[in-house]
Amino acid sequence: MASGSGGISRLALQRLPTYLSYLKNLPEGGPPHISAAAIAAGLGLGEVQVRKDLAMVSDAGKPKVGYPVDGLVKDLEHFLGYGTCNRTVLVGVGNLGLALLSYSGFAEYGLHFVAAFDVNPALIGSSVDQKPILSVDKLPVFCRENGIQIGVLTVPAVAAQACCNALVAGGVRAVWNFAPVHLQAPPHVLVQRENMASSLALLSYHLKTQEAQAPQEEQQSGTADQ
Amino acid sequence: MASGSGGISRLALQRLPTYLSYLKNLPEGGPPHISAAAIAAGLGLGEVQVRKDLAMVSDAGKPKVGYPVDGLVKDLEHFLGYGTCNRTVLVGVGNLGLALLSYSGFAEYGLHFVAAFDVNPALIGSSVDQKPILSVDKLPVFCRENGIQIGVLTVPAVAAQACCNALVAGGVRAVWNFAPVHLQAPPHVLVQRENMASSLALLSYHLKTQEAQAPQEEQQSGTADQ
DNA sequence: TAGATTGTTAATCGATTAACAATC
DNA sequence: TAGATTGTTAATCGATTAACAATC
């Protein structure tokens, strides 16, 4: 089950959930084994890259056979820590916050929302899917008393650093930041920024440059799958 | 204004909107110029990296003075193509779709929602913020007739490829995919996946490994900013 | 045994960083 | 002029890919 030989690279780590989801979405009743090459083809990645990534996580791969799908799923989940329940709070119950809070799919990744926080008195005291909405004033104490491990920040940019500080004060060790700002936090706290603006930059730049190069209409393409 | 010397790297491109947002959030009435070093410090990046990135985008930097904030903002926006309005549709009006649809901040990036699409008859015919919700059956024709450039996919994983095909058939040239699947598309169409699962993998792995290494309580840290 | 597939070691590629030259 | 800051050229670093060895 993977030698701890100096840690996995950040980019490789980010590919692992893609493998996991690919394996889980494989059609029912298919073959019980799969090769790294098949996974690579399905995801548009290099064969060697997939093999190297999987070797980091599992040693269930057998020459001529491939990986047992079920075993590989278990190894990936174990490696990523998806088995353990990570207690989570969400701060900022706006549109995006509500969407994340009511999305049930995160449980698959070990993310379990315990409560949400906001400054709006109209929201405080109500609840979303049985998760209470509390005042942000209570954030540090609540996190401390309930052993919260993850904080999700869906607050406006100007409020993000203060909320992050409150989470850190409450002992949270991982922050998922949707606000478009860079946050300061002590080194033991991982701040992962979901940078939608970066994605939009790629889209916008692609359109801009493609427009300049090829103003003609693209070829007819009724279906693009394969 | 930046030599087109062979294109900008993907990673550099993704940093540009971070600079842009940093500059825009600078306090009013501050100095009219800023140095690359100051930006780097504010964002926790390397000085040389910032200088190199900015040199790609602007030639308004002057030794001993730095960059004029306003000019740099304009150059960044121009380079990224944020000036031009990109007509956009959203497919899948669930929780996340609603959140994105009603977030007004995307206009800043040139993203302008024109309409939304869903399969749910209860939604079709209604509207969100003056944007009509239409049947997905009409997706290709609508995109073609309205010159839609960007499609945002917030549909369940199983529906994503079919919707992507419909967007492509409608002449869309950029897709922002929030579904946790890899999509096939012709080469002239950029599919940018917003991979929340990758972010969660980093968070979960951090908690798992940190737990194993340092089970003791972290040091008291009332405030963590600086 | 032969062949498919895994896992590893070496080579390439790209991005970041460090050292330096240019200039206001 | 002197010093701060930009921009560039060379060196380092890390990740990907290619070639190969191992094994079921």
Side-chain angles (χ1 to χ4, degrees), chain A residues 80 144 173 204 210 217, chain B residues 80 144 173 204 210 217:
Chain A
L80 289 165
R144 183 68 65 186
R173 297 208 316 280
S204 179
Q210 217 201 35
E217 182 68 0
Chain B
L80 289 166
R144 182 69 64 186
R173 295 208 317 280
S204 179
Q210 217 200 38
E217 183 68 1

Side-chain angles (χ1 to χ4, degrees), chain A residues 206-207 209-210 213-214 218-221 223-226, chain B residues 164 168 172-175 183-192:
Chain A
H206 168 79
L207 289 174
T209 51
Q210 217 201 35
Q213 287 171 11
E218 85 284 357
Q219 66 273 28
Q220 288 299 98
S221 50
T223 53
D225 49 351
Q226 61 182 48
Chain B
C164 179
V168 169
V172 161
R173 295 208 317 280
V175 174
L183 297 177
Q184 302 284 152
H188 71 279
V189 175
L190 175 67
V191 177
Q192 176 63 27

Side-chain angles (χ1 to χ4, degrees), chain B residues 157-197:
Chain B
V158 289
Q161 183 67 62
C163 292
C164 179
N165 296 347
L167 289 167
V168 169
V172 161
R173 295 208 317 280
V175 174
W176 195 11
N177 174 34
F178 286 81
V181 282
H182 173 78
L183 297 177
Q184 302 284 152
H188 71 279
V189 175
L190 175 67
V191 177
Q192 176 63 27
R193 177 161 163 209
E194 195 67 39
N195 199 340
M196 302 212 187

Side-chain angles (χ1 to χ4, degrees), chain B residues 24-179:
Chain B
K24 282 181 159 184
N25 289 324
L26 244 29
E28 294 277 332
H33 291 261
I34 191 165
S35 71
I39 297 174
L43 294 172
L45 298 171
E47 290 191 24
V48 185
Q49 187 171 63
V50 174
R51 273 215 291 282
K52 225 175 178 184
D53 289 346
L54 295 185
M56 200 89 65
V57 164
S58 173
D59 56 8
K62 297 246 192 310
K64 179 135 168 139
V65 178
Y67 286 85
V69 176
D70 292 350
L72 187 51
V73 165
K74 287 208 179 62
D75 285 345
L76 281 164
E77 288 177 337
H78 176 263
F79 186 90
L80 289 166
Y82 285 176
T84 62
C85 160
N86 290 315
R87 284 175 296 273
T88 305
V89 294
L90 181 140
V91 190
V93 189
N95 282 310
L96 181 59
L98 257 179
L100 298 179
L101 207 51
S102 45
Y103 177 58
S104 55
F106 291 137
E108 199 176 319
Y109 306 103
L111 202 79
H112 291 267
F113 287 112
V114 172
F117 293 82
D118 206 295
V119 287
N120 185 350
L123 292 172
I124 295 167
S126 66
S127 64
V128 174
D129 287 348
Q130 270 124 33
K131 295 144 208 157
I133 303 180
L134 310 172
S135 165
V136 279
D137 299 339
K138 305 200 171 125
L139 194 45
V141 172
F142 183 93
C143 291
R144 182 69 64 186
E145 288 180 350
N146 292 273
I148 301 297
Q149 288 140 315
I150 300 181
V152 178
L153 281 181
T154 47
V155 298
V158 289
Q161 183 67 62
C163 292
C164 179
N165 296 347
L167 289 167
V168 169
V172 161
R173 295 208 317 280
V175 174
W176 195 11
N177 174 34
F178 286 81

